[in-house]
């Protein structure tokens, strides 16, 4: 039986990755390279749409970039000097080809293609209204809502219609759109999801992370500002700020886990921030031990920071296989509990007889943590202490990150001591929210106006959650309303 890897659901799933290039030969090939660099942000599906001056060309497929966009038969038809691409992990809509982006539509003004990273938190309400007015949807993705809002806007120019559409949506979005006239890139007014600008010769490039610029040899210029709309036509970049200016609230979990450590997010090196997170964790939660061991790979930079700050040796006590995908052949349920060893295996000669500190980025359901602790004990560890490089994940995300329902989040249902008992560690401690803010360069967290979206830790949501509110009971709605700020 082909089944999902049993421990893939014990991480917050990366949302999506987007890439676009305007004014370059072989734009589609460059986009494929950029998507390779963003593959960690979504492995369920990938797509590229190009424009050759007359026609739009699209290829979308389930699966990863490699295998779908590494052969001439696929890439040769994707002609043109302008292209956008998307890697997807579904946060809204089923995993089906009709939901794979970029989405394309023929509007009255011409072809319009869009790649979206984020989540529209009032998409259900908007979709219901649009269908009532006659719109016919071809997907279950919230991204298609934006296309219909643009199509039905009463403004004359495409830019004005696009702005009109965005003023009706709530939630988080970074968008790269392509028309016959040029490329549009924008970020929601709070800047929750990331988007950067690069330059390569005469071409402009947009991407979710700077690593995608690195892989194509582009120069990182800057981030798209929260609420900014950037238009590239005829090789000229123009910036617009059509929305009411708001205090930015970028996702703080980009620094903890989502972004690649070699990326720059909001002007800061992710690797440097993660080492600082580890140092803060060591300062807040020291322990007498022999070794600091990362849970690979996401725990590695924080573990280095923890080791340096604590003076304890850093060692690779867990070896990860990089050849296990999200699915594997599982002959029977009887070996399901062994699944974690396909990805992680103890370095037994190193661990045997030692007191170890395990560093991981987060605990979601706790299934992997309990298996990793068990693995260390089987390898002969004398003591196993778990340190988590973020605060407890107690709330679901509604901004483009696939998190379990709150009742499935271990920290939402149990105290830290109860969690320690569940994973069977000798001790368990999390980084405080104050420590996390110090690590990203903030002296302290302003409770009345935090400078990041940290809702998964605090429950303080920066926007309305219309679709959720309409599903909840009055009592639940009142409680939610108190947390939205």
């Amino acid at each position: 039986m082909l089944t999902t890897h049993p421990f893939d659901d014990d991480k917050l799933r990366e949302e999506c990755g987007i890439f676009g290039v305007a004014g370059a030969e072989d734009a589609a090939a460059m986009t494929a390279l950029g998507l390779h660099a963003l593959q960690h942000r979504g492995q369920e599906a990938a797509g590229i749409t190009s424009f050759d001056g007359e026609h739009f060309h699209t290829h979308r497929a389930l699966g990863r970039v490699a295998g779908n966009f590494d052969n001439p038969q696929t890439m040769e038809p994707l002609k043109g000097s302008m292209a956008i691409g998307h890697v997807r992990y579904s946060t809204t809509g089923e995993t089906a080809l009709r939901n794979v982006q970029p989405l394309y539509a023929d509007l009255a003004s011409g072809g319009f293609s869009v790649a979206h990273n984020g989540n529209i938190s009032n998409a259900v309400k908007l979709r219901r209204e649009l269908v009532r007015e006659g719109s016919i949807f071809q997907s279950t993705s919230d991204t298609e809502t934006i296309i219909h809002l643009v199509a039905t806007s009463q403004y004359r120019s495409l830019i004005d219609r696009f702005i009109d559409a965005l003023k009706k949506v709530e939630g988080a979005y970074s968008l790269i759109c392509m028309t016959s006239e040029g490329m549009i890139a924008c970020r929601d007014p709070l800047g929750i999801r990331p988007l950067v600008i690069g330059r390569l010769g005469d071409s402009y490039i947009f991407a979710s992370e700077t690593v995608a610029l690195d892989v194509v040899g582009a120069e990182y210029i800057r981030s798209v500002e929260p609420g900014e709309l950037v238009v590239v036509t005829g090789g000229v970049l123009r910036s617009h700020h059509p929305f009411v200016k708001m205090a930015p609230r970028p996702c703080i979990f980009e620094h903890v886990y989502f972004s690649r450590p070699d990326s720059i997010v909001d002007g800061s090196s992710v690797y440097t921030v993660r080492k600082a997170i580890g140092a803060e964790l060591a300062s807040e939660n020291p322990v007498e031990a022999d070794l600091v061991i990362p849970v690979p790979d996401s725990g590695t930079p924080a573990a280095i920071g923890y080791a340096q700050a604590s003076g304890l040796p850093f060692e690779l006590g867990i070896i990860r296989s990089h050849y296990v995908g999200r699915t594997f052949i599982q002959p029977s349920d009887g070996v399901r509990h062994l699944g974690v060893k396909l990805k992680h295996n103890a370095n037994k000669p190193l661990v045997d007889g030692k007191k170890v500190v395990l560093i991981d980025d987060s605990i979601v359901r706790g299934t992997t943590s309990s298996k990793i602790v068990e693995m260390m004990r089987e390898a002969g560890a004398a003591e196993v202490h778990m340190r988590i490089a973020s605060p407890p994940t107690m709330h679901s995300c509604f901004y483009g990150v696939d998190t379990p329902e709150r009742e499935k989040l271990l920290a939402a249902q149990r105290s830290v001591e109860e969690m320690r008992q569940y994973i069977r560690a000798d001790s368990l401690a999390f980084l405080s929210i104050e420590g996390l803010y110090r690590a990203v360069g903030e002296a302290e967290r302003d409770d009345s106006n935090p400078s990041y979206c940290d809702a998964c830790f605090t429950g303080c949501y920066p926007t309305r959650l219309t679709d959720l509110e309409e599903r909840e009971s009055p009592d639940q709605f009142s409680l939610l309303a108190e947390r939205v700020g």
Side-chain angles (χ1 to χ4, degrees):
M1 178 175 65
L2 190 67
T3 181
T4 299
H5 191 287
F7 298 103
D8 278 341
D9 65 354
D10 203 25
K11 290 288 184 185
L12 298 184
R13 300 273 191 114
E14 301 90 339
E15 53 280 11
C16 294
I18 57 177
F19 186 94
V21 55
E25 291 185 14
D26 297 323
M30 188 180 294
T31 300
L33 289 173
L35 294 181
H36 271 287
L38 299 173
Q39 187 73 87
H40 60 288
R41 300 186 73 89
Q43 297 88 43
E44 284 191 354
I48 295 175
T49 297
S50 68
F51 180 68
D52 64 7
E54 294 185 3
H55 301 101
F56 290 83
H57 310 276
T58 297
H59 182 76
R60 302 180 297 162
L62 299 178
R64 302 188 181 193
V65 179
N68 283 314
F69 293 95
D70 55 3
N71 61 78
Q73 291 79 13
T74 298
M75 298 305 300
E76 196 278 332
L78 297 174
K79 301 179 184 299
S81 61
M82 187 163 53
I84 61 175
H86 188 275
V87 289
R88 180 176 193 262
Y89 177 77
S90 59
T91 57
T92 63
E94 62 185 326
T95 303
L97 192 58
R98 63 176 178 161
N99 288 328
V100 179
Q101 298 185 39
L103 298 184
Y104 174 83
D106 284 309
L107 306 183
S109 56
F112 183 83
S113 185
V114 58
H116 170 212
N117 169 210
N119 191 53
I120 305 305
S121 58
N122 64 336
V124 173
K125 180 180 180 181
L126 290 171
R127 184 188 184 105
R128 188 164 55 240
E129 294 170 354
L130 287 162
V131 169
R132 189 181 301 122
E133 293 169 2
S135 291
I136 301 173
F137 281 74
Q138 302 298 314
S139 76
T140 58
S141 169
D142 62 333
T143 307
E144 191 179 357
T145 304
I146 297 172
I147 295 176
H148 286 275
L149 289 172
V150 174
T152 56
S153 173
Q154 298 303 303
Y155 284 84
R156 293 179 62 87
S157 75
L158 177 62
I159 294 297
D160 287 338
R161 294 168 73 162
F162 185 58
I163 293 169
D164 180 46
L166 295 183
K167 287 183 176 180
K168 296 175 182 176
V169 305
E170 300 168 2
Y173 56 83
S174 285
L175 299 167
I176 306 176
C177 307
M178 189 168 60
T179 75
S180 58
E181 300 298 321
M183 188 168 288
I184 308 168
C186 67
R187 203 172 169 199
D188 69 76
L190 293 173
I192 298 174
R193 300 264 66 89
L195 191 62
V196 298
I197 306 172
R199 187 79 186 263
L200 181 62
D202 295 328
S203 63
Y204 284 100
I205 298 171
F206 302 95
S208 294
E209 294 184 39
T210 58
V211 290
L213 305 179
D214 296 338
V215 77
V216 299
E219 176 190 4
Y220 167 53
I221 304 300
R222 63 178 177 87
S223 292
V224 176
E225 297 174 8
E228 182 183 16
L229 190 147
V230 179
V231 180
V232 178
T233 54
V236 178
L237 184 148
R238 295 180 176 86
S239 173
H240 305 266
H241 292 83
F243 307 107
V244 174
K245 189 173 180 61
M246 304 174 70
R249 296 279 292 274
C251 172
I252 202 166
F253 215 83
E254 291 286 345
H255 293 287
V256 175
Y257 175 66
F258 292 140
S259 294
R260 267 180 42 169
D262 46 342
S263 280
I264 297 171
V265 173
D266 298 318
S268 297
S269 158
V270 174
Y271 180 78
T272 300
V273 169
R274 288 181 187 166
K275 283 182 64 180
I277 285 173
E280 289 287 345
L281 187 60
S283 175
E284 291 183 351
N285 302 289
V287 62
E288 291 186 8
D290 300 309
L291 302 174
V292 176
I293 295 174
V295 177
D297 289 319
S298 57
T300 300
I304 294 172
Y306 191 101
Q308 291 176 347
S310 66
L312 297 173
F314 169 91
E315 296 286 357
L316 297 180
I318 302 171
I319 306 302
R320 180 190 172 190
S321 169
H322 291 267
Y323 303 98
V324 178
R326 287 193 176 270
T327 57
F328 70 110
I329 300 298
Q330 190 177 60
S332 71
D333 289 340
V335 298
R336 182 175 176 83
H337 70 285
L338 300 177
V340 72
K341 293 186 177 180
L342 287 173
K343 280 192 173 181
H344 301 117
N345 192 42
N347 189 350
K348 188 172 181 178
L350 185 72
V351 171
D352 192 18
K354 301 295 196 305
K355 300 176 183 179
V356 302
V357 184
L358 296 177
I359 308 293
D360 205 355
D361 60 90
S362 60
I363 291 181
V364 181
R365 289 177 170 88
T367 49
T368 295
S369 298
S370 62
K371 293 297 181 183
I372 292 291
V373 170
E374 180 183 2
M375 182 189 299
M376 291 291 98
R377 296 204 188 281
E378 290 176 350
E383 294 179 9
V384 182
H385 303 274
M386 181 73 81
R387 295 294 181 266
I388 305 301
S390 63
T393 303
M394 300 182 67
H395 304 272
S396 297
C397 177
F398 302 98
Y399 300 121
V401 179
D402 188 60
T403 48
E405 298 84 357
R406 192 160 186 253
E407 59 268 19
K408 295 181 181 179
L409 293 170
L410 194 66
Q413 306 302 320
R414 304 182 187 222
S415 67
V416 173
E417 172 56 21
E418 289 170 338
M419 295 174 72
R420 183 199 67 78
Q421 294 175 15
Y422 177 81
I423 67 172
R424 298 182 295 280
D426 289 285
S427 72
L428 170 66
F430 293 80
L431 182 67
S432 69
I433 189 69
E434 294 78 15
L436 180 56
Y437 270 74
R438 287 193 296 269
V440 297
E442 299 282 332
E444 60 182 10
R445 181 183 187 272
D446 183 350
D447 293 341
S448 62
N449 186 29
S451 50
Y452 286 89
C453 177
D454 53 24
C456 55
F457 306 129
T458 65
C460 181
Y461 295 98
T463 75
R464 286 197 64 188
L465 304 173
T466 297
D467 292 340
L468 178 68
E469 292 166 5
E470 292 188 354
R471 293 202 309 266
E472 303 288 359
S473 68
D475 289 344
Q476 290 172 312
F477 170 76
S478 298
L479 180 62
L480 176 67
E482 291 175 5
R483 294 201 302 263
V484 176

